[in-house]
Amino acid sequence: MADLAANAQGGARPFARLTAALSRPTTLAQVLFVLGVAALLVALTLVAQSNLERLSVKSGYGFLWEKAPFELGESLIAYKAGDTYMRAFAVGILNTLKVAALGIILSTALGLVIALGQLSPSSVVARVCRLYIETARNVPLLMQLIFWYAFLTASLPRVKQALSPVEGVYLSNRGLFLPALDFGGAGGQIGLALLAGLVMAVALMVWKLRTQARGNIAWAFWGLLLLPAIATFLLSGATVSLDLPELKGFNFRGGLAVSPEFLALLLGLTFYTAAFNAEVIRGGILGVPKGQTEAATALGLKRGQVMRLVVIPQALRIIIPPISNNFLNLTKESSLAVAIGYPELVRVANVTLAETSQSIECISIIMLVFLTISLSTSLFLNWFNARAALVTR
Amino acid sequence: MSLRTIAAAAILAVTGATAAHADLLDDIKARGELSCGTLNYLPGVGFLDDKGEWSGYDVDFCKAAAAAILGDPSKLKLVALTGPQKFPALDSGEIDILSRSVTQTISRETTLGYDFIGPNLMTGQGFMVRKDSGVTSVDDLDGATICVLGGSAQERYLAEYFAYKGMTFTPVAAEGGDQMYPMYFDGRCDAVTQEPPYMAIRRLRSGQADEHVILSDIISKSYEAPVIREGSPRLREVLQWMHWGMITAEEMGITQANVEEMAATSQDPNVRNFLGTDGNVGQDMGVSNDWMVNVIKAVGNFGEFFDRNLGKNSALGVERGMNALHRDGGVLFAPGWQ
């Protein structure tokens, strides 16, 4: 009996708390708001479902295993018409990641140069950098992409009259063709070994920074980076040869090809985002108290050393949160490539949509992929930011 | 559900006035003017020039229809429509006939409630290449870079055809014709693919027309036809037989220049019956007996109609190909006129 009474009492208290909370006007409004949003979602789903049934469109993601009847032009993995839609989407996602990764690296490097240029004592350099920032930031990215694309396709020579500054390098309005190293069949394994080496080398650098161990690690760094790849190469017994692009029939064959669509997108994204990055980096540098620079100079450090050893490490704490925002924007804006025909995710989704009429599914795939990319980039940068942030004790 | 009923009721209320009539043919005659939807920016197909003159293949079909029904090609109101506007304009009754390069497909005819006339332009997916490339057939294009409209049916046919032939190509997908053709003319692609008449128009406008050649190979078919709303069987009959009449006139050798003379002097009973000199064919349909004389005076026989707008007498120079009479190797025929 005593137990029962205790239970009843215990049960009554949360209930009383709930009624008390509900009687407050703000809580009631919040509950109503959530219910309203839920009702809207349910209604939208029902309407979409009944409309799809009426149009006799079968919904679901089963089409991903059907054959995709289109070509995509450029791809990091093997793809041809007749492979599955799933594989076509993989091609699109990889192309998006490729341009985003290169764009992030290049726009950060260029942004740093421009930011330092703005802070340079030479007023000419500072003004040129300022002019660049104002121009690049204030012209819509879509216009810049179209400009670069038109510039590359209309002003570069035709494929038969390709510019060739060095033997094996050709530049035409079909793109840039470079010599490539051909490792027979072992290229993939060597690439993986190189990646593993890179992870180890970076781990070594992180360890050095965290333990503040003394000594020069340059040799160990390059060794860790390159040895696995060299070992794989020697063990696989592969031969290395130079694969030169050669004009055969309509186009250059062999070597490494960079299409004008990709180049235009990369240039557009890099120059646009670099302007924003430059401002973020400049803000970060100016945010470091002047006393730090003066103290470092007083210790006899040169201007470059002051930047590298004192100012930039402290500026990073200010820079990382806003610059990660810029990185996410660059990734998302890569979808504008659909205007110039680079086969990234949105273009694959568009042509799939035209073929299968699975519009809701295709759009949801685009959204899911960008959400995943953005959230994982964001998670990584938050983690990195937590590491770099000033630890107050 | 209830929302849909209300919408349906609203549409019925708006269009009810026209739907109540027996046949659109009577409405047009009572109104004394034919309203025809077309386009105004593609020379050779549908074009409004700076003097306010309309011309083109799709426009001429409208003129012929006005001549057939009202006896005068000028009793015509032409309405320029964009792609997304064309079917709503027809549905709402703003236009009587839609003559705007519409592709005839089974779903449009059977589920959307339209009647197609003709078809009056048989074309397909072709290729344009530079003359100095030495390409003479699609099968020479192995390894080529090809400009194509992204997300179009042509993109699919292109990939299917090359896969079927065991050939490779690199596609460059463009968002629309205005992006695609500059890319091709700048040399980004070895070939561009679309329907030949449209390629001919772009070639003409490029200012380098004699450097490019449109291959005669067609890898997929596309039949274009004027459209009316379902539910006017007599209007459909007049327009369909007008289309066949233009073909019949070419078979009989009746032209814009000789039609009046033929009507007055020919002793051939078939010609006399066809031109309404004898018999009552026209009146039985609800138009005048000399209706085909009016049509041929307005736009000529099918050959003249084609050649003036798209063919050898136009700047575009599209070959007749499938659009020639059956006896000349094309697919055009006309049922008997008895």
Side-chain angles (χ1 to χ4, degrees):
Chain A
M1 280 303 275
D3 282 6
L4 213 70
N7 268 351
Q9 220 180 4
R13 227 180 285 137
F15 181 71
R17 227 180 288 149
L18 188 69
T19 45
L22 277 181
S23 63
R24 258 177 274 140
T26 51
T27 320
L28 189 65
Q30 282 170 21
V31 168
L32 283 178
F33 176 73
V34 170
L35 285 180
V37 170
L40 195 67
L41 283 178
V42 169
L44 278 176
T45 317
L46 288 179
V47 166
Q49 230 166 29
S50 84
N51 279 334
L52 288 177
E53 267 166 35
R54 187 172 52 80
L55 295 169
S56 52
V57 173
K58 59 174 177 166
S59 49
Y61 293 87
F63 73 96
L64 285 173
W65 281 268
E66 287 166 17
K67 285 181 177 178
F70 48 80
E71 292 283 350
L72 286 171
E74 56 190 293
S75 167
L76 289 173
I77 53 175
Y79 170 85
K80 62 178 189 312
D83 288 343
T84 59
Y85 282 108
M86 186 66 124
R87 200 170 177 86
F89 271 102
V91 171
I93 293 168
L94 286 174
N95 279 341
T96 295
L97 288 176
K98 179 171 85 168
V99 77
L102 281 172
I104 285 174
I105 294 170
L106 293 178
S107 70
T108 310
L110 182 63
L112 181 64
V113 170
I114 298 292
L116 294 178
Q118 271 213 83
L119 297 170
S120 118
S122 150
S123 76
V124 176
V125 173
R127 266 155 212 264
V128 168
C129 291
R130 190 76 229 155
L131 181 72
Y132 162 74
I133 288 176
E134 293 306 341
T135 318
R137 278 201 310 184
N138 291 304
V139 175
L141 178 57
L142 185 62
M143 294 303 115
Q144 296 194 32
L145 291 182
I146 292 170
F147 163 77
W148 284 113
Y149 190 57
F151 174 76
L152 290 174
T153 53
S155 67
L156 288 176
R158 285 160 192 273
V159 66
K160 297 262 160 44
Q161 293 97 38
L163 299 172
S164 180
V166 189
E167 175 70 28
V169 176
Y170 299 96
L171 184 65
S172 74
N173 65 1
R174 297 284 172 85
L176 181 63
F177 293 84
L178 301 165
L181 287 178
D182 185 6
F183 291 101
Q189 294 146 21
I190 292 171
L192 280 180
L194 196 64
L195 202 66
L198 183 70
V199 170
M200 288 195 288
V202 169
L204 174 77
M205 232 167 72
V206 171
W207 171 81
K208 165 126 197 299
L209 284 176
R210 290 187 61 186
T211 58
Q212 309 221 315
R214 286 169 170 276
N216 192 336
I217 57 159
W219 279 105
F221 179 85
W222 287 109
L224 277 178
L225 180 66
L226 296 176
L227 273 180
I230 295 170
T232 316
F233 171 65
L234 292 176
L235 287 175
S236 69
T239 51
V240 61
S241 60
L242 205 58
D243 183 15
L244 288 175
E246 201 181 339
L247 190 59
K248 270 188 198 154
F250 292 104
N251 291 320
F252 284 99
R253 301 280 173 88
L256 189 72
V258 186
S259 74
E261 290 78 26
F262 174 75
L263 265 183
L265 180 62
L266 185 62
L267 286 172
L269 287 175
T270 299
F271 281 105
Y272 182 73
T273 311
F276 289 92
N277 287 350
E279 286 296 81
V280 168
I281 294 171
R282 185 174 70 102
I285 291 172
L286 290 179
V288 176
K290 213 177 169 193
Q292 296 284 327
T293 317
E294 288 168 350
T297 319
L299 285 174
L301 295 181
K302 296 196 182 76
R303 200 180 125 76
Q305 285 176 315
V306 174
M307 261 305 160
R308 194 160 51 84
L309 299 173
V310 177
V311 177
I312 299 275
Q314 297 186 69
L316 269 183
R317 294 179 188 134
I318 310 171
I319 291 170
I320 290 170
I323 212 170
S324 43
N325 218 1
N326 288 355
F327 292 166
L328 294 184
N329 280 342
L330 181 142
T331 312
K332 287 181 281 180
E333 280 155 357
S334 70
S335 57
L336 285 174
V338 77
I340 53 171
Y342 175 66
E344 45 69 73
L345 175 64
V346 178
R347 144 101 174 116
V348 175
N350 277 352
V351 52
T352 304
L353 197 159
E355 279 299 330
T356 62
S357 303
Q358 305 281 335
S359 46
I360 294 180
E361 288 81 358
C362 289
I363 303 286
S364 71
I365 291 174
I366 300 180
M367 286 165 56
L368 192 71
V369 170
F370 276 113
L371 199 62
T372 310
I373 295 176
S374 293
L375 287 183
S376 36
T377 315
S378 175
L379 272 178
F380 170 76
L381 286 165
N382 282 347
W383 169 83
F384 188 67
N385 186 38
R387 304 249 100 188
L390 198 60
V391 183
T392 47
R393 293 191 176 89
Chain B
M1 194 61 200
S2 61
L3 253 179
R4 215 179 295 156
T5 322
I6 294 168
I11 290 167
L12 203 68
V14 173
T15 58
T18 51
H21 280 278
D23 202 296
L24 200 51
L25 184 66
D26 301 317
D27 287 352
I28 297 166
K29 286 201 289 190
R31 206 190 305 138
E33 189 181 60
L34 176 75
S35 174
C36 199
T38 184
L39 40 73
N40 61 0
Y41 59 86
L42 273 186
V45 180
F47 189 64
L48 180 63
D49 68 16
D50 51 8
K51 295 181 199 74
E53 296 287 327
W54 287 86
S55 64
Y57 199 75
D58 288 348
V59 168
D60 273 3
F61 184 86
C62 297
K63 288 182 182 168
I69 299 168
L70 302 167
D72 182 351
S74 65
K75 289 184 177 167
L76 177 65
K77 189 177 88 178
L78 287 159
V79 182
L81 299 169
T82 64
Q85 285 175 331
K86 62 187 177 197
F87 286 126
L90 188 64
D91 293 337
S92 70
E94 185 191 353
I95 54 172
D96 304 314
I97 303 174
L98 173 64
S99 177
R100 193 196 179 281
S101 309
V102 182
T103 305
Q104 181 171 10
T105 65
I106 188 168
S107 60
R108 282 173 172 170
E109 178 123 23
T110 58
T111 64
L112 297 181
Y114 298 124
D115 276 337
F116 284 81
I117 314 298
N120 70 353
L121 182 62
M122 274 150 263
T123 170
Q125 184 175 350
F127 294 83
M128 178 157 69
V129 295
R130 293 187 63 81
K131 265 185 191 160
D132 58 21
S133 69
V135 172
T136 55
S137 122
V138 182
D139 297 354
D140 295 341
L141 284 172
D142 192 9
T145 305
I146 299 175
C147 283
V148 59
L149 290 173
S152 64
Q154 291 145 8
E155 191 171 4
R156 178 202 189 113
Y157 294 140
L158 178 67
E160 283 178 348
Y161 182 83
F162 273 68
Y164 166 64
K165 288 278 179 178
M167 304 194 297
T168 59
F169 73 102
T170 308
V172 179
E175 260 215 307
D178 288 341
Q179 282 97 51
M180 178 167 78
Y181 284 95
M183 276 153 65
Y184 165 71
F185 289 118
D186 285 337
R188 174 66 187 98
C189 306
D190 299 300
V192 61
T193 180
Q194 213 189 352
E195 285 93 352
Y198 306 120
M199 295 197 289
I201 293 167
R202 299 285 182 166
R203 176 174 66 174
L204 186 70
R205 284 177 159 189
S206 72
Q208 36 179 285
D210 37 335
E211 291 171 33
H212 301 271
V213 58
I214 295 170
L215 303 178
S216 54
D217 301 333
I218 296 290
I219 63 167
S220 76
K221 63 179 187 181
S222 148
Y223 289 2
E224 295 181 359
V227 198
I228 59 171
R229 288 187 300 282
E230 226 163 50
S232 291
R234 288 168 54 227
L235 177 64
R236 198 193 67 75
E237 277 167 17
V238 168
L239 295 175
Q240 183 64 51
W241 280 95
M242 177 186 93
H243 166 72
W244 282 328
M246 286 159 69
I247 296 168
T248 306
E250 188 180 4
E251 286 171 355
M252 291 178 168
I254 301 170
T255 65
Q256 213 166 2
N258 71 11
V259 60
E260 283 190 314
E261 186 200 334
M262 292 276 271
T265 63
S266 176
Q267 296 305 311
D268 183 340
N270 287 325
V271 172
R272 292 176 69 85
N273 185 45
F274 174 65
L275 293 177
T277 319
D278 294 341
N280 234 356
V281 173
Q283 265 178 13
D284 291 346
M285 299 172 79
V287 293
S288 68
N289 275 334
D290 63 349
W291 68 300
M292 278 315 301
V293 176
N294 295 331
V295 168
I296 294 162
K297 270 201 312 201
V299 301
N301 65 35
F302 195 91
E304 293 176 292
F305 163 66
F306 187 94
D307 286 338
R308 180 177 61 252
N309 292 304
L310 303 173
K312 60 173 188 262
N313 297 335
S314 74
L316 303 178
V318 178
E319 284 178 30
R320 285 286 292 270
M322 274 196 289
N323 296 289
L325 297 185
H326 189 254
R327 67 168 187 225
D328 301 332
V331 299
L332 292 186
F333 69 97
W337 208 269
Q338 286 79 33

